[in-house]
Amino acid sequence: MNGPQPLTENLQALAKLADDELQAVLLEGVSRTFALTIPQLPGKLYPAVANAYLLCRIVDTIEDEVSLTAEQKKRFCSAFIKIVKTGQETEVFAAELAPLLSEQTIPAEHCLIHLIPRVIAITHTLDSAQIEALAGCVETMANGMPIYQALDLHAGLKTMKDMDDYCYYVAGCVGEMLAKLFCHYSPQINAHHDELLKLSVSFGQGLQMTNILKDIWDDAKRGVCWLPQDIFTETGFNLAELTPATDDDRFRQGLEHLIGIAHSHLQNALRYTQLLPSHETGIRNFCLWALGMAILTLKKIKHNLSFNESDQVKISRSNVKTTIAVCKLTARSNQLLTLIFNLTSRDLKTPGWQYLPKSHTGQ
C-alpha cells in the first residue's frame, strides 16, 4: 500500500465491504488494541463504538500530519466537526485532505481519510442520541487538540492541571462519549449515569497517562514532552533538560509520582467497571482488558524506571493473552476484580507522597 496503485486497489476492495466488515478492517489497520476490544461489545453497541473510534482517529490523523500547518489543522478540524454533525460535504473534505497526507502517515490512515464519506455515512445510520454523543466528543477533541499545536512542548507542560486538561481533550472526552453510549444502550446502566460520566473522564486519563509515560522517549526524540513540570519541580528536575540520554534519579522519582497518579485514575476505572451490571460481560471485558493492560504497562515502567525506549516497557503478547483470560474468568465478580486489582497494582503507589496541587492560575 506504499504506491498509488496498491492504495487505489485497496480502496476499491474496501468499498465493497458491508458496514461492519469495513469498520472492522479499518480498525485493524489503525489500532490492533481496539480491533481486539471493540468486538467484545454487544451487537447493538459495536457499530457506534467502532465508528466513534474511527472518527477520533481521523482527528488524530489531522493533528499528527507533519505536512499540515497549524492553521490548516485548525481549519480541517473545524470542518470535520460540521461534517460529523451534518453528514454533508464529505466527498469535498476527503478530496481536499487526502492528497496533503505525507508518507509519514501510515497507509491505513491514508485509506481512512479517503473513506471518510463512507465512515460518515455509517455515523448517520445510528440513533440520534448516538450521533449526538459522537459529535460532542469529536467537537471537544477537534477544538481542544489544536491548542497544543501552538505551545512549545520541549520543556513539558507547566502543571499537573495542564496535563489533566490535555488528557481530557484526547481521552477523557472519549470516556464520556462511551459512558453516554452505554447509558443509551441500557436503562440499568443509565441508573448510574452521573457517576459513570464523572468516572469515565478519570478512566480515560488513566489510560492516556499510561501511554504518555510509555512513550516519553519516542516523544523526546521529536522534541516534545507531555509531562508536568510542577511534579518534577518537587524532585528538583528541570524537564527542559530532558533528552533521550537523561539518567537522573530526580527524574525517575518524578516518574514514580506520575505512576501513582495514573494508578489512582485506574482505581476509578475499576469502580466505573464495577458499576456496570455483572451480566453485561461484553462491556465489562471491553473496559477490563484496557484496564488490565494499562496496569501491566505501569508495572513494567515502575520496575524499569531507567528505560529509554518504549519497546522496553511494552507488554508481551503472552501478557495480553493472560489479561484477557483472567478478565473473562472474573468479569462478573466485583469482589474478585477488586482482589486482582489490589494484588497486581499494589506496588504502583508512592508511599508517603500525594499530589497537592497549588492554585492554578492558567497557562
Side-chain angles (χ1 to χ4, degrees):
M1 276 198 334
N2 293 326
Q5 186 61 32
L7 177 60
T8 302
E9 290 174 2
N10 203 52
L11 290 171
Q12 290 172 346
L14 288 171
K16 296 175 183 176
L17 298 176
D19 288 353
D20 281 356
E21 276 186 293
L22 175 65
Q23 295 203 131
V25 172
L26 290 175
L27 277 173
E28 180 68 33
V30 297
S31 173
R32 287 185 180 178
T33 301
F34 281 100
L36 186 71
T37 60
I38 292 175
Q40 306 312 308
L41 294 169
K44 289 183 179 179
L45 272 172
Y46 174 84
V49 177
N51 191 257
Y53 184 81
L54 294 175
L55 296 179
C56 292
R57 191 60 182 234
I58 291 166
V59 178
D60 282 342
T61 301
I62 294 169
E63 287 301 328
D64 293 342
E65 177 50 64
V66 294
S67 73
L68 297 177
T69 65
E71 187 53 43
Q72 283 177 308
K73 290 178 182 183
K74 191 172 181 180
R75 179 169 63 82
F76 277 118
C77 281
S78 295
F80 190 61
I81 294 168
K82 192 172 181 181
I83 282 170
V84 174
K85 288 182 176 180
T86 65
Q88 298 173 358
E89 304 293 330
T90 57
E91 299 278 358
V92 174
F93 181 87
E96 185 181 356
L97 177 57
L100 300 178
L101 300 183
S102 66
E103 289 185 3
Q104 284 183 250
T105 293
I106 62 172
E109 288 176 344
H110 278 266
C111 278
L112 178 59
I113 297 303
H114 276 281
L115 290 167
I116 282 174
R118 184 74 185 279
V119 173
I120 296 294
I122 296 171
T123 307
H124 285 269
T125 65
L126 304 173
D127 290 354
S128 58
Q130 293 176 316
I131 297 171
E132 186 179 340
L134 270 58
C137 175
V138 167
E139 183 166 19
T140 299
M141 185 180 280
N143 281 333
M145 288 173 70
I147 294 169
Y148 298 89
Q149 294 289 333
L151 300 180
D152 178 4
L153 294 167
H154 170 71
L157 297 164
K158 290 181 181 179
T159 67
M160 190 66 219
K161 170 65 168 62
D162 294 323
M163 189 183 204
D164 292 343
D165 291 345
Y166 173 70
C167 287
Y168 175 70
Y169 287 130
V170 298
C173 65
V174 178
E176 283 183 324
M177 172 196 64
L178 289 170
K180 289 174 184 175
L181 291 175
F182 295 164
C183 287
H184 172 260
Y185 160 77
S186 162
Q188 197 174 349
I189 295 175
N190 194 46
H192 300 288
H193 178 275
D194 292 348
E195 191 174 0
L196 285 171
L197 271 184
K198 184 178 177 182
L199 291 170
S200 68
V201 174
S202 188
F203 196 157
Q205 177 153 350
L207 299 181
Q208 185 62 28
M209 283 186 70
T210 301
N211 284 333
I212 288 171
L213 293 173
K214 173 176 66 71
D215 294 333
I216 288 169
W217 304 113
D218 292 345
D219 291 334
K221 287 172 187 173
R222 299 185 294 113
V224 171
C225 178
W226 296 106
L227 306 177
Q229 178 58 57
D230 63 343
I231 296 293
F232 291 87
T233 299
E234 283 188 30
T235 66
F237 183 80
N238 183 357
L239 289 173
E241 299 170 8
L242 184 68
T243 73
T246 294
D247 182 9
D248 193 305
D249 283 338
R250 297 169 301 169
F251 176 68
R252 288 188 279 271
Q253 188 181 357
L255 277 190
E256 284 191 290
H257 291 171
L258 286 174
I259 289 168
I261 293 172
H263 171 264
S264 67
H265 284 296
L266 294 178
Q267 273 192 310
N268 286 339
L270 177 66
R271 172 67 184 146
Y272 175 96
T273 307
Q274 290 173 326
L275 285 173
L276 301 170
S278 60
H279 68 269
E280 292 288 1
T281 52
I283 306 178
R284 280 191 165 217
N285 276 314
F286 171 80
C287 298
L288 288 170
W289 295 6
L291 171 56
M293 287 186 266
I295 289 290
L296 292 181
T297 302
L298 288 180
K299 282 172 69 73
K300 290 202 79 167
I301 296 170
K302 181 74 178 268
H303 295 155
N304 186 15
L305 291 169
S306 298
F307 81 103
N308 54 22
E309 288 185 11
S310 60
D311 283 348
Q312 294 168 0
V313 292
K314 279 185 179 175
I315 61 173
S316 67
R317 288 188 177 182
S318 64
N319 284 153
V320 172
K321 288 179 180 177
T322 301
T323 300
I324 289 171
V326 171
C327 290
K328 283 184 174 180
L329 287 171
T330 59
R332 290 176 176 267
S333 171
N334 285 353
Q335 193 173 356
L336 277 176
L337 290 174
T338 298
L339 178 64
I340 292 168
F341 180 89
N342 290 341
L343 283 173
T344 54
S345 68
R346 63 186 181 278
D347 57 345
L348 296 180
K349 299 178 184 178
T350 305
W353 181 86
Q354 61 176 325
Y355 176 59
L356 297 173
K358 298 178 179 66
S359 60
H360 183 65
T361 55
Q363 295 272 30

